[in-house]
Amino acid sequence: QVQLVESGGGLVQPGGSLRLSCAASTSIFSINAMGWYRQAPGKQRELVAVITSGGSTNYADSVKGRFTISRDNAKNTVYLQMNSLKPEDTAVYYCNVRAVKLANGYEYHYWGQGTQVTVSS
């Protein structure tokens, strides 16, 4: 199993900033990628940003220029710096991990429990 611990969600005014963190703990998996998804009320879950162990990144068009994803490979921790927040960013944010089990070579997917981000005046 891969244990994920999320933190950093909360309430912020429009134009404000938050930083989300997700730490993965495992000794029998090799992590290929970590990222963030979000699900707003009444909407489908969508990818926000992802980063591989090699440092390549992808962002949803709606957050480009405002959000930055980064990763500390030594600590297996991913961060999402969110600036210039808008009410439309309000959602539950989920950490996602793709990891290979060393014993069998298969890739598994893991999800954090989610953290609420609310942008409101």
Side-chain angles (χ1 to χ4, degrees), residues 1 4 19 33-34 42 46 63 79 83 86 94 103 108:
Q1 298 292 323
L4 303 178
R19 190 175 82 152
M34 303 182 74
E46 65 175 347
V63 307
Y79 307 93
N83 298 326
K86 305 175 181 179
Y94 296 92
Y108 295 80

Side-chain angles (χ1 to χ4, degrees), residues 6 37-41 89-94 113-117:
E6 300 182 24
Y37 289 71
R38 69 186 181 186
Q39 187 165 20
D89 296 317
T90 296
V92 177
Y93 285 70
Y94 296 92
Q113 77 280 5
T115 184
Q116 177 70 48
V117 172

Side-chain angles (χ1 to χ4, degrees), residues 6-95:
E6 300 182 24
S7 63
L11 174 65
V12 65
Q13 293 184 335
S17 299
L18 287 172
R19 190 175 82 152
L20 306 182
S21 299
C22 177
S25 179
T26 180
S27 62
I28 62 174
F29 289 81
S30 178
I31 296 175
N32 291 333
M34 303 182 74
W36 294 93
Y37 289 71
R38 69 186 181 186
Q39 187 165 20
K43 294 187 176 181
Q44 197 169 7
R45 182 175 58 187
E46 65 175 347
L47 187 147
V48 178
V50 63
I51 186 168
T52 69
S53 60
S56 62
T57 60
N58 286 103
Y59 296 90
D61 289 340
S62 60
V63 307
K64 287 181 179 178
R66 300 188 297 119
F67 291 10
T68 302
I69 189 169
S70 61
R71 180 177 178 178
D72 185 334
N73 286 337
K75 298 181 179 180
N76 284 331
T77 299
V78 65
Y79 307 93
L80 185 68
Q81 179 66 47
M82 304 185 294
N83 298 326
S84 302
L85 283 162
K86 305 175 181 179
E88 308 91 88
D89 296 317
T90 296
V92 177
Y93 285 70
Y94 296 92
C95 180

